[in-house]
Amino acid sequence: MTDTLLQTKNLQAWYGESHILHGIEFSVPKGQIVTLLGRNGAGKTTTLRSIMGLVKNRTGSVVHEGTETIKLASNQIAKRGIAYCPEERGIFSSLNVKENLQLPPVIADGGMSEERVYELFPILKTRGNSQGTKLSGGEQQMLAIARILRTGAQLLLLDEPTEGLAPVIVQQIGEIIKRLKDEGFTILLVEQNFRFAERMGDVHYVIEHGEVVDRFERAEIANNREKITGYLGV
Amino acid sequence: MTDTTKTDFNRAGEAKAGTASTSGAAAVLTDIRLWSAIGIVVLLILPHYVYPVMIAKVLCFALFAAAFNLLLGFAGLLSFGHAAFFGMSAYVTGYCLQSLGFTAELGILAGTAAGALLGLAMGLLAIRRQGIYFAMITLALAQMVYFVALQAPFTGGEDGLQGVPRRDLFGIIDMSSNMNVYYLVLGVFCIGLFIVYRTVHSPFGQVLKSIRENEPRAISLGYDADRYKLMAFVLSAALSGLAGSTKVMVFQLASLTDIQWQMSGEVVLMAVLGGIGTMVGPLVGATIIITLQNELAQIGSVSTIVQGAVFVFCVLAFRRGIVGEIKHRWTTWRGRS
Amino acid sequence: MDFLGVPFPVFAGQLLIGLINGAFYAVLSLGLALIFGLLNIVNFAHGALYMVGAFVAFLLLDILGIGYWPALLLSPIIVGLFGMVIERFLLRPIADLDHLYGLLLTFGLALLIEGFFRQMYGVSGETYAIPSILQGGFNLGFMFLPTYRAWVIVAAIIVCGATWFLIEQTRLGATMRAAVENADLVRAFGVNVPLLVTLTYGLGVALAAFAGVLAAPIYSVNPLMGSNIIIVVFAIVVIGGLGSIKGAIISGFLLGLCEGLTRVYYPEASNIVIFVVMAIVLVVRPAGLFGKTA
């Protein structure tokens, strides 16, 4: 049994009056890739946002490295070593590529140097002075991942990094994610694209209507393929 | 940048929703006609006990605040330039009575028309932007009107129009006594408030409300939101003008005080303190602010300081205003029992 | 020597006054734009705090004997700190409400501050001497240029340029720009955005105070000096749009010049020309000259 880096218990969240998460429970072992699967609107993104402290109205428990974070503000959560790559990438249009890359402050030692980041994403080096949102979708996605690697955070939350991208780019992103795992990062990945997720994940959780309804280890997938496609409606 | 949280600003006025099926005694307690009747009777008797000019002043400002509140509370538009209508109408009425020899009712009508016209001009410009910009534009345009009033020949400049004659009403009813003027003001006030009430409870008012809650949706339903906003703006300006014109009858004076930006701020304060989006709130707010000013008038700028403090306090801790708060407590209490 | 129908010295003199007014407009609308970007409120107290800036300079001299040059630094710091207290304890509690509440609250603050100074110092105003090194002037041949007025323009340009550099060219500025776009995400990267907001309000207000100190030797230090100028600045901000730093600076200077020119050719309208320009802009380009959306 490996160490648990992040664990949620009975995580509930609300947007205004609507109750979105009804007690999400899962754990993320150190050094592994955990995916959250589920249909549109199941609560995957809200789960990430709640972990990150971006949903104001939330209860339950999120423990990161032994510390309860449910009451912390999102900047304090980030400072603990959790980095977030949001849905639709969140590239800032008023910042150029270099500024986007340098935006997240370094919160701990051990982050990648800028040179290492450019080595992983050579395309970004050539586009340094372009406006962030002038990049192609794939480039923006790479920028969104690249900028959180410098900070020294060890847990990466990635929200649908393949959304809307061409297959060849998806493959590149997949390679990068695997490489990040090899370098010791722990990754919590939200995906709709099951083919992609199954290649990445060590553990998969299925979310429906704001609850975790099933859990599969990588080895269990082959025997449960039908069940999973049933969940996801693919 | 449009504000998506617009609805929040007006939640104070929502208290009456869901009270349709009140029963027996409660229905009597919330019956608008009963309360209006009681209110009118009180206002008819009151000048025999309190100095009528004082109450007349309160009523003028209450009407002014109700006109402002029509725009903010029911259309969601915060104008910081309502002094322009109040003041310009006062000048026009003053000029008509003093130099043109109009009778009282024609003078007041002329002033009101001037307010409406000015409202049309300012409204056409201001509704082109929303939220904070709307507030700034109305403020700036009103300041322009102020400078015009300062320099134009018919306003008397720094002195204003003093000693405006109280001409006979319809040419026959004598207006020289304070008591008669008071009853004129009361009549105007009742008519004005009735117009506000009817407007809010008309289909037009419903459309305004839906624009306030969600403008894109209202537009997609086929409503020309800008036209509705403009109509509300003009109506509010006209009623503010009516209040300003009537004030000239009371004080026989139209001056720069009526038209400067502090006056715009005062009317905002009256509405906020009394309760945005309520019928009685403006009257309550005006009563308190006018009383406050009278009490503090002797000690320099203390009145300004107190008004500023009341503003800050209302925004921080008392956003429903007095009447809104009472209504809210009443509704929750009704809901529980 | 006539220039466009008026004696050139008259023309140049009014243009100079326009440029000086423009300098104040630019510094004030720059502060408003900074604050608007991060807080989404229009700071009605801006004029009052400009006045406080002038008064702090006056009081530093009057009570402590501290002169113009230190005051040029101290007054913005003092007023900036005061502004940070305002932001932390009055504006933050209502940050999640409709932004119109922010306007109302700062309006109330403006009344409070102005009323306080009126109560203490009356409305006649206090004089503040031009520092000795900036007294006198240059004879340009066609007109006399008072040194202090030249200094005001230079100082305003320097401060505007420095602020522009801070916002557009530094990491802190990039963080601020990002927070304007998406404060939540910036916060999720570990940036203490609430602190950044407080600092921004402090900086915006400090700019107003700086303008106040600059103004002190030109105009009398008067409790009403802020409310007279702030409405004009609001109109300028509507014209330029609050979205851009550059827009605020440029429209400030341009409209000051525009006012000066009007004073040459049609002095009666000089009070209202900026409002007229605003009306025209609203008709022709409702989003403002530099604005993207309404």
Side-chain angles (χ1 to χ4, degrees), chain A residues 7-14 23-25 57-63 68-71:
Chain A
Q7 182 150 36
T8 73
K9 280 208 173 103
N10 193 25
L11 179 60
Q12 310 213 18
W14 291 260
I24 296 271
E25 306 207 352
N57 203 345
R58 61 185 194 276
T59 62
S61 161
V62 177
V63 174
E68 179 59 64
T69 66
I70 195 81
K71 295 247 183 278

Side-chain angles (χ1 to χ4, degrees), chain B residues 26-286:
Chain B
V28 173
L29 279 174
T30 52
D31 185 3
I32 180 93
R33 272 165 299 183
L34 178 76
W35 283 105
S36 310
I38 294 174
I40 290 173
V41 169
V42 169
L43 286 171
L44 281 172
I45 305 171
L46 202 59
H48 295 281
Y49 302 95
V50 185
Y51 183 46
V53 170
M54 175 71 194
I55 332 168
K57 183 180 182 188
V58 168
L59 289 182
C60 286
F61 278 95
L63 176 58
F64 185 21
F68 168 82
N69 184 37
L70 172 67
L71 201 56
L72 177 59
F74 301 99
L77 298 172
L78 173 57
S79 157
F80 250 102
H82 260 47
F85 315 126
F86 187 79
M88 188 50 82
S89 298
Y91 278 125
V92 169
T93 301
Y95 185 76
C96 288
L97 295 177
Q98 197 165 43
S99 303
L100 302 180
F102 278 32
T103 51
E105 78 289 352
L106 288 179
I108 290 173
L109 276 180
T112 309
L117 271 178
L118 191 57
L120 182 65
M122 271 174 67
L124 275 171
L125 290 169
I127 57 161
R128 299 176 78 93
R129 298 289 285 274
Q130 288 163 341
I132 281 167
Y133 282 101
F134 182 89
M136 288 195 292
I137 292 166
T138 46
L139 176 67
L141 291 174
Q143 186 75 353
M144 179 161 100
V145 174
Y146 165 81
F147 280 120
V148 170
L150 184 65
Q151 290 168 348
F154 71 96
T155 58
E158 301 274 356
D159 302 327
L161 304 177
Q162 299 180 3
V164 176
R166 287 173 171 174
R167 304 236 183 248
D168 294 351
L169 187 63
F170 304 116
I172 43 173
I173 305 171
D174 175 47
M175 281 290 130
S176 54
S177 86
N178 282 341
M179 206 53 118
N180 285 7
V181 168
Y182 172 79
Y183 286 116
L184 169 69
V185 172
L186 180 58
V188 167
F189 172 77
C190 290
I191 294 169
L193 216 61
F194 182 71
I195 293 174
V196 172
Y197 180 82
R198 292 298 309 195
T199 307
V200 171
H201 293 89
S202 68
F204 173 74
Q206 293 304 314
V207 176
L208 276 186
K209 200 180 272 178
S210 72
I211 291 172
R212 182 191 82 194
E213 313 261 276
N214 189 339
E215 184 165 334
R217 196 182 59 196
I219 292 172
S220 74
L221 287 173
Y223 293 112
D224 183 349
D226 280 355
R227 228 181 94 227
Y228 278 89
K229 285 200 254 180
L230 183 61
M231 281 158 75
F233 195 85
V234 172
L235 183 60
S236 173
L239 288 169
S240 304
L242 180 61
S245 302
T246 314
K247 197 223 71 163
V248 176
M249 283 297 289
V250 180
F251 288 97
Q252 302 177 271
L253 172 75
S255 72
L256 289 173
T257 315
D258 302 329
I259 204 166
Q260 62 195 12
W261 63 268
Q262 285 91 340
M263 182 61 79
S264 296
E266 255 167 49
V267 75
V268 178
L269 181 57
M270 287 172 189
V272 169
L273 177 61
I276 297 164
T278 63
M279 274 298 144
V280 208
L283 179 59
V284 175

Side-chain angles (χ1 to χ4, degrees), chain C residues 119-193:
Chain C
Q119 186 68 19
M120 302 292 287
Y121 300 97
V123 290
S124 50
E126 313 276 352
T127 49
Y128 189 94
I130 295 176
S132 52
I133 193 174
L134 297 175
Q135 279 169 4
F138 314 98
N139 193 343
L140 299 181
F142 56 90
M143 67 174 288
F144 181 75
L145 175 63
T147 313
Y148 188 79
R149 305 209 164 206
W151 155 248
V152 166
I153 296 169
V154 171
I157 291 174
I158 291 172
V159 162
C160 287
T163 311
W164 176 85
F165 183 83
L166 172 75
I167 303 296
E168 297 295 332
Q169 302 292 327
T170 66
R171 276 201 63 176
L172 177 63
T175 309
M176 284 165 77
R177 274 179 285 141
V180 168
E181 253 184 79
N182 186 343
D184 273 357
L185 184 55
V186 172
R187 200 167 181 195
F189 286 148
V191 176
N192 189 342
V193 173

Side-chain angles (χ1 to χ4, degrees), chain C residues 25-196:
Chain C
Y25 297 156
V27 176
L28 288 174
S29 50
L30 177 60
L32 278 183
L34 277 183
I35 291 170
F36 181 79
L38 268 184
L39 285 84
N40 265 308
I41 64 157
V42 171
N43 186 30
F44 221 124
H46 217 64
L49 293 165
Y50 157 83
M51 176 270 289
V52 174
F55 257 101
V56 169
F58 166 75
L59 293 173
L60 283 174
L61 184 66
D62 199 47
I63 298 173
L64 301 173
I66 295 174
Y68 178 83
W69 298 106
L72 206 49
L73 191 65
L74 279 177
S75 172
I77 291 175
I78 292 167
V79 175
L81 288 173
F82 177 56
M84 293 203 269
V85 172
I86 291 175
E87 195 286 328
R88 178 63 190 80
F89 294 102
L90 298 179
L91 292 174
R92 193 181 294 180
I94 59 163
D96 289 338
L97 301 176
D98 190 312
H99 304 311
L100 291 177
Y101 281 118
L103 186 71
L104 293 180
L105 188 123
T106 50
F107 178 76
L109 273 175
L111 287 184
L112 249 175
I113 296 169
E114 207 182 276
F116 174 78
F117 278 90
R118 250 163 65 191
Q119 186 68 19
M120 302 292 287
Y121 300 97
V123 290
S124 50
E126 313 276 352
T127 49
Y128 189 94
I130 295 176
S132 52
I133 193 174
L134 297 175
Q135 279 169 4
F138 314 98
N139 193 343
L140 299 181
F142 56 90
M143 67 174 288
F144 181 75
L145 175 63
T147 313
Y148 188 79
R149 305 209 164 206
W151 155 248
V152 166
I153 296 169
V154 171
I157 291 174
I158 291 172
V159 162
C160 287
T163 311
W164 176 85
F165 183 83
L166 172 75
I167 303 296
E168 297 295 332
Q169 302 292 327
T170 66
R171 276 201 63 176
L172 177 63
T175 309
M176 284 165 77
R177 274 179 285 141
V180 168
E181 253 184 79
N182 186 343
D184 273 357
L185 184 55
V186 172
R187 200 167 181 195
F189 286 148
V191 176
N192 189 342
V193 173
L195 180 64
L196 190 68

